[in-house]
Amino acid sequence: KRRMKKIFLALTIYWFLLIPAFSETNIKIISDGKESAKIEIIVFESLTCSHCATFHKEIYPNLKKDYIDNGSVKIIYKSFPLDLAALNASKIAHCKNDGNSKILHMLYEKQTDWAMGENIEEFNLNLRKIINQENITIDFDKCLNSEELENHILEERIEGVKKYKVNATPTIIINEKKFDKPLTYKNLKKIIEKLI
């Protein structure tokens, strides 16, 4: 795992130098909520991050029920992969290119079933198994090898570093301001209620 992180860090620096930040892409940003929402929450997250999984499993359902469904809040999910396994999982999450978050939520809900292995091949195999078990119809290999998807994901990561000084996951941005309190639904709710 440590070797994978070192390799990924080297790759990120390489892409950081090569990719013009915020370039145009055909990949849709994954989001939940109405465009007209008064409050926009950006979540920078890594699919192998256990705290990010906790956000999706414990905090997101309350946000959806109380604020997303009534049009008050829109959540934008931005990729900030911390390792190669998270990068590949992000490619799968974006694979359908429909801006929908169902695959993303599923991967966080089932994180303990696929995010394990001694090397990237084992991670990829576990990822493929979970996609098949959930009967998700995608061209797994095509998505995994997509340069366009990889560029989009790494551009989101670069945006996080450059624009918001992201250095850990999950990092929450609410109406362009970094959320700096402990990440609980209670704390998020306080901020949201002030902004509504």
Side-chain angles (χ1 to χ4, degrees):
K1 260 187 170 179
R2 190 173 292 170
R3 185 171 171 268
M4 276 175 58
K5 284 189 177 179
K6 282 182 182 175
I7 293 167
F8 183 73
L9 183 61
L11 281 172
T12 302
I13 293 165
Y14 172 77
W15 281 108
F16 188 89
L17 296 170
L18 261 125
I19 300 174
F22 319 116
S23 64
E24 291 297 316
T25 178
N26 295 318
I27 310 299
K28 289 185 181 175
I29 291 168
I30 298 175
S31 64
D32 275 326
K34 294 179 181 176
E35 286 294 327
S36 59
K38 187 178 178 182
I39 298 161
E40 181 182 271
I41 297 175
I42 302 172
V43 185
F44 284 94
E45 54 188 8
S46 174
L47 270 152
T48 50
C49 155
S50 61
H51 296 295
C52 300
T54 299
F55 173 84
H56 279 261
K57 289 189 274 190
E58 296 178 12
I59 297 173
Y60 164 76
N62 291 316
L63 280 175
K64 180 168 170 56
K65 178 171 61 74
D66 295 341
Y67 299 109
I68 297 171
D69 287 348
N70 68 19
S72 300
V73 166
K74 177 185 179 182
I75 297 187
I76 295 171
Y77 304 98
K78 296 272 189 169
S79 305
F80 199 89
L82 298 175
D83 48 50
L84 287 172
L87 174 64
N88 286 350
S90 290
K91 290 179 191 176
I92 298 307
H94 282 86
C95 210
K96 281 199 170 183
N97 193 25
D98 56 6
N100 193 292
S101 59
K102 284 182 182 175
I103 296 177
L104 186 73
H105 290 309
M106 182 278 293
L107 288 174
Y108 278 114
E109 283 162 19
K110 308 271 184 181
Q111 189 187 72
T112 53
D113 294 335
W114 66 265
M116 64 183 93
E118 293 295 316
N119 52 55
I120 194 61
E121 287 76 22
E122 286 182 22
F123 276 95
N124 290 346
L125 184 62
N126 292 334
L127 196 55
R128 188 190 296 270
K129 280 180 186 172
I130 210 77
I131 291 299
N132 290 338
Q133 283 168 14
E134 294 295 314
N135 296 315
I136 295 167
T137 309
I138 55 171
D139 188 331
F140 189 90
D141 292 316
K142 185 179 177 183
C143 294
L144 215 56
N145 296 314
S146 169
E147 194 174 308
E148 186 183 20
L149 281 172
E150 187 163 305
N151 287 349
H152 172 78
I153 290 158
L154 293 176
E155 280 168 10
E156 287 190 337
R157 195 182 196 281
I158 290 165
E159 178 192 7
V161 173
K162 282 190 169 181
K163 190 174 180 181
Y164 300 107
K165 309 292 184 237
V166 175
N167 59 10
T169 58
T171 293
I172 309 290
I173 313 293
I174 304 176
N175 284 1
E176 294 298 311
K177 289 185 178 177
K178 208 172 192 177
F179 177 75
D180 56 4
K181 294 188 171 16
L183 185 51
T184 65
Y185 181 61
K186 187 179 177 182
N187 285 339
L188 275 177
K189 188 171 182 174
K190 280 181 189 173
I191 301 291
I192 292 167
E193 287 295 329
K194 283 179 186 176
L195 294 169
I196 286 177

